[in-house]
Amino acid sequence: MALLAELQRVFENTYGREAGVDLEACVVGPRRCAELVEASGEHEGELSDWARFFYYVDGADLRLALFYAEEMIEVLEENDPRRGLGEANVVPFLVFAEEASHALHTTFAFDEAGAERVRSPEFLGELELLARIDAYLLLRHFVHVLGGGITERDRAWVRHQAIERWDVPYDDPRLARRYRGAARRAAEFVGRLEGLEPAESVAALRRFRALPPEQKLRFCRETPFLSRGSRR
């Protein structure tokens, strides 16, 4: 999966870190995915069947697995997002990228703070928040590269596709808190991140990633960003 390797490089460059794992080597097929779903107890009917991310701690090691459904891979192969983006491929592309984001941020957190960090009750919500932010920034990056620039109309389309369309109702209140909450906090964060110059934006993003979960929430809403318009 050349696309997965490319996304891994983009994410690692963005955060200035290497994961120390080849995500392509973590991809599993449907049989192993079913086994992992059974072992994890994650049978929520509201979750997508297109892709799943699994992790567990085995002694001193972190084990990762990524599953991508064949039909989703076929869509991305027939409509390669590196050649063009639109309604035919944008949602599969975002789902594909989000699972890669989950895997990389899990390795970063485990390397920094070990098993306790990735087992914390807040960690799944934190992964979703980071994935929504990553989805926005990645989609904006691809739109910019494909178009040779980005307009305000492009930004609005990216924001809708990567963040706003995921703010939808869930029957399970736990999933609603995780997914809808992540979309809303990501909207707050990227809206303010857009006011920074590129280098400042990257620095703010890296600081944000390193914060504990509870501080991430405060950072989204309270930390003042210096906007371009406020410079003298």
Side-chain angles (χ1 to χ4, degrees), residues 11 52 55 63 76 93 98-99 103 110 115 126 130 143 150 155 162-163 167 172 187 189 192 196 209 215:
F11 284 139
R52 289 288 185 95
Y55 72 91
R63 306 295 185 189
L76 295 176
F93 174 58
E98 287 157 19
E99 303 308 316
F110 184 78
E126 182 182 3
L130 291 166
V143 168
I150 189 164
R155 290 182 192 275
I163 297 178
D167 185 2
D172 186 332
F189 180 78
R192 297 161 68 233
L196 302 179
R209 185 211 63 78
Q215 291 186 31

Side-chain angles (χ1 to χ4, degrees), residues 62-91:
L62 176 68
R63 306 295 185 189
L64 307 175
L66 289 163
F67 168 75
Y68 293 114
E70 188 62 34
E71 57 265 33
M72 190 182 77
I73 298 302
E74 290 175 358
V75 169
L76 295 176
E77 288 177 344
E78 293 170 4
N79 304 275
D80 192 330
R82 291 167 293 186
R83 295 198 296 267
L85 281 161
E87 290 302 318
N89 63 356
V90 66
V91 173

Side-chain angles (χ1 to χ4, degrees), residues 120-138:
S120 71
E122 302 86 5
F123 188 63
L124 291 179
E126 182 182 3
L127 285 183
E128 292 302 328
L129 172 57
L130 291 166
R132 290 267 62 82
I133 294 169
D134 285 345
Y136 175 83
L137 296 175
L138 185 69

Side-chain angles (χ1 to χ4, degrees), residues 88-110:
N89 63 356
V90 66
V91 173
F93 174 58
L94 291 172
V95 172
F96 187 91
E98 287 157 19
E99 303 308 316
S101 168
H102 290 340
L104 291 174
H105 286 296
T106 301
T107 67
F108 297 160
F110 184 78

